[in-house]
Amino acid sequence: MPDGFDMHEEGEGASEGGVRPLGSALKTLALLDHLGRTRSAVRLATLSRELGIGRATIYQRLVTLMAAGWVEQTSEGLFRLTLRAARVAQAATEQAGLGARTLPILERLSAETGEAASLAVLEGDAPCIVQRVEPQGVLRVEMRVGATMALAGSASGRVLLAYLEPERARRMAPELDPAILEAVRQSGHSISSGQTMEGIRAAAVPVFGHDGACAAALSLVAPVQRFAPDGWIQPLRDAAEALRAIMEGRPA
């Protein structure tokens, strides 16, 4: 049976500081944790099979999580996390100082290339900038932390799409040729279409998390007259690896 599902019920088991944890709450939170490790929405039967727990018990815990706003059920009857999990994860990132820890890496990347460096994550159906560093003394591309970008046309959007499940990527960006996303996966980087922001081009690479999934996209952006992707890709990859080290708790 998976970790977290063999807890004693309320009033039983070891205490922490004289206060016993709520067994039912721990079991429900363990289900939440399991949903957080899945790559897409899942069926009740799948959860029951994976966790070795009866459907009625799993469903009761899902109903609890839905009432609390952590889980939602799709029109196809599948269960998935809501964006509340993303908001809490963002708060945890800030509280852990991860935002401050990523800043020096983006600063080094911007200084090395002389261009603006951005870190973006998928929020809903758009890439959202969560960290950004502008170069000094050059013509800037005005984009701020919290700004969103085109999903299908931006370099960051294409990276984030490329590492989703293909069916989900098609639903989110039906206008984008799947061959473009395959090329991103094969090359390990993406170039913007040049059509979403006139006179602006960008290159981006994936930042992989501790679970091997693409957690973010790291990009460099510049006016088209300074666009030089051949000299950007390796610095981007080096910075992405440093960011991955931070996510895994290793020295950057």
Side-chain angles (χ1 to χ4, degrees):
M1 188 171 292
D3 292 344
F5 282 88
D6 58 350
M7 301 298 298
H8 297 290
E9 293 298 334
E10 292 89 342
E12 299 180 8
S15 63
E16 180 68 26
V19 179
R20 295 183 177 88
L22 294 175
S24 59
L26 290 173
K27 292 175 181 180
T28 301
L29 290 171
L31 174 58
L32 181 66
D33 185 63
H34 183 80
L35 286 168
R37 292 194 297 269
T38 63
R39 300 292 294 273
S40 59
V42 292
R43 296 190 180 279
L44 175 61
T46 302
L47 290 170
S48 177
R49 183 179 67 254
E50 291 176 346
L51 297 172
I53 298 173
R55 295 189 190 188
T57 300
I58 291 289
Y59 186 68
Q60 183 182 44
R61 294 170 188 171
L62 286 169
V63 168
T64 300
L65 291 170
M66 286 190 288
W70 286 92
V71 171
E72 62 187 5
Q73 188 172 17
T74 70
S75 58
E76 294 84 12
L78 307 178
F79 295 92
R80 65 187 179 193
L81 296 178
T82 67
L83 287 179
R84 172 171 292 191
R87 291 195 297 272
V88 171
Q90 184 176 10
T93 296
E94 293 303 321
Q95 291 176 20
L98 186 57
R101 290 161 62 198
T102 63
L103 187 59
I105 296 173
L106 269 68
E107 288 176 337
R108 289 197 300 268
L109 177 62
S110 180
E112 180 179 355
T113 60
E115 305 299 350
S118 298
L119 187 66
V121 299
L122 192 61
E123 184 170 317
D125 59 357
C128 178
I129 297 174
V130 295
Q131 188 66 277
R132 183 170 174 84
V133 172
E134 294 278 1
Q136 299 296 319
V138 298
L139 179 63
R140 298 184 179 185
V141 178
E142 288 297 332
M143 293 186 73
R144 301 179 183 276
V145 170
T148 57
M149 297 173 281
L151 183 60
S154 68
S156 293
R158 291 180 173 188
V159 162
L160 294 168
L161 280 170
Y163 293 92
L164 294 177
E165 289 188 348
E167 181 57 35
R168 184 182 177 193
R170 281 193 293 271
R171 289 198 305 268
M172 294 180 69
E175 73 278 20
L176 187 61
D177 185 349
I180 293 176
L181 300 183
E182 177 61 26
V184 172
R185 289 188 291 271
Q186 291 295 325
S187 66
H189 70 271
S190 174
I191 303 297
S192 62
S193 66
Q195 299 173 349
T196 57
M197 294 182 66
E198 186 176 356
I200 302 299
R201 297 296 300 275
V205 299
V207 179
F208 295 106
H210 64 88
D211 58 355
C214 178
L218 179 65
S219 66
L220 287 167
V221 59
V224 67
Q225 62 267 29
R226 293 205 309 268
F227 184 61
D230 290 344
W232 289 0
I233 301 305
Q234 192 56 52
L236 277 167
R237 287 175 175 162
D238 292 343
E241 181 56 34
L243 290 169
R244 180 174 187 171
I246 286 178
M247 293 181 182
E248 294 178 345
R250 298 184 285 112

